[in-house]
Amino acid sequence: MPAFAAVSVRRAAAVALAASSLVFAAACGSSDGKGDKPAQKDAATSSTAASSGASGASGGAKGPVTEAQLKAALLTEKDVPATWKAGPGTGGLTFGKAVKPECQKLIQLMQSEAAPMGAATRQSSNFEYGLQQVFGFDGDKAAGYLKGFDATLTQCATFAVDMEGEKYPVTVKPLPVDQAGDEAHGYELVMDMGPIKMGFHTYVVRKGGALSALCAKGKQAVGIPAAEYQAVTGTVAKKLDQAIQG
């Protein structure tokens, strides 16, 4: 086997091994609450510009999203099936960079970054079968980030990601979701890494200046039951709504 091919297969296997348990929250600290192991402390912040005078995005937000609100929107072990299990942070897993720039946000919502998507703050909960991230944005930047999201899903039905010079094909299709928050979207993303295919279901819901995103193991390999996934996404939306309204 040529050396470059061996490196590619090893990289694919390493990524798939990490993704197989879906324990890929980055920079997670110890538990931030009593008994809620996945409510990890993650106060990663980005150097965002000052808001352009907006007092908050639409949908009932009454000002900037607070750290307390983000933490209140996190799933805990009591909110998910017992099989999901809380997991520790592993230093993070990235899925590379989309060759089509317009598709990068689909990757960003799946992977943990220290200062992602122009958000001011991020909190995360990590489980064996899913990673939840809650982002707080300044002004109306959350709505701006999701603007035209359905069109993005259509434009990104097929694209490729670049992982350290190796390109892997990706397919995306929308997933039906219940209306929630100010807007909600779902999609299945399958990455073909040669000997291994990885499938993920991602759900994102916005309420005012906050986004809550859940990336869970999809149909490939060990996929979780659809009814189980839908139940958890419903809880994600409910907790975000309660946190922001509160």
Side-chain angles (χ1 to χ4, degrees):
M1 177 182 294
F4 72 87
V7 170
S8 177
V9 171
R10 285 199 301 270
R11 182 179 298 123
V15 173
L17 177 63
S20 66
S21 63
L22 259 180
V23 180
F24 49 63
C28 290
S30 58
S31 174
D32 210 49
K34 298 179 180 178
D36 294 337
K37 295 180 182 178
Q40 316 260 359
K41 186 176 182 181
D42 186 353
T45 58
S46 63
S47 54
T48 53
S51 174
S52 59
S55 60
S58 63
K62 299 179 181 178
V65 179
T66 67
E67 292 279 348
Q69 287 174 312
L70 294 185
K71 291 176 181 178
L74 289 176
L75 296 171
T76 72
E77 286 183 305
K78 295 177 290 186
D79 298 317
V80 298
T83 54
W84 282 46
K85 299 179 183 178
T90 64
L93 177 66
T94 63
F95 291 93
K97 185 175 182 180
V99 175
K100 291 181 180 179
E102 63 270 27
C103 303
Q104 184 61 22
K105 67 178 61 179
L106 304 184
I107 300 296
Q108 287 177 320
L109 290 167
M110 293 173 51
Q111 64 188 12
S112 49
E113 302 175 63
M117 309 190 312
T121 56
R122 176 179 74 103
Q123 294 287 330
S124 64
S125 284
N126 194 37
F127 302 91
E128 186 173 350
Y129 286 106
L131 167 67
Q132 182 202 16
Q133 301 185 91
V134 187
F135 306 97
F137 289 79
D138 294 330
D140 59 357
K141 290 181 180 179
Y145 185 82
L146 291 182
K147 184 177 181 180
F149 197 84
D150 290 335
T152 297
L153 293 179
T154 299
Q155 295 165 0
C156 298
T158 60
F159 65 99
V161 294
D162 188 322
M163 298 179 66
E164 300 180 16
E166 298 287 343
K167 293 183 173 62
Y168 300 100
V170 170
T171 57
V172 172
K173 68 177 182 180
L175 292 176
V177 297
D178 293 331
Q179 292 298 313
D182 294 326
E183 58 181 305
H185 309 273
Y187 60 95
E188 180 187 60
L189 184 147
V190 178
M191 186 180 299
D192 187 345
M193 304 188 75
I196 301 167
K197 280 188 177 182
M198 298 186 298
F200 303 94
H201 289 172
T202 299
Y203 172 77
V204 57
V205 58
R206 179 180 69 83
K207 185 71 175 181
L211 298 183
S212 186
L214 174 71
C215 179
K217 188 178 296 182
K219 295 178 181 178
Q220 285 65 34
V222 184
I224 61 174
E228 188 174 288
Y229 173 74
Q230 291 170 355
V232 176
T233 59
T235 303
V236 167
K238 180 180 179 180
K239 295 200 75 166
L240 181 66
D241 184 72
Q242 292 175 338
I244 299 304
Q245 292 291 0

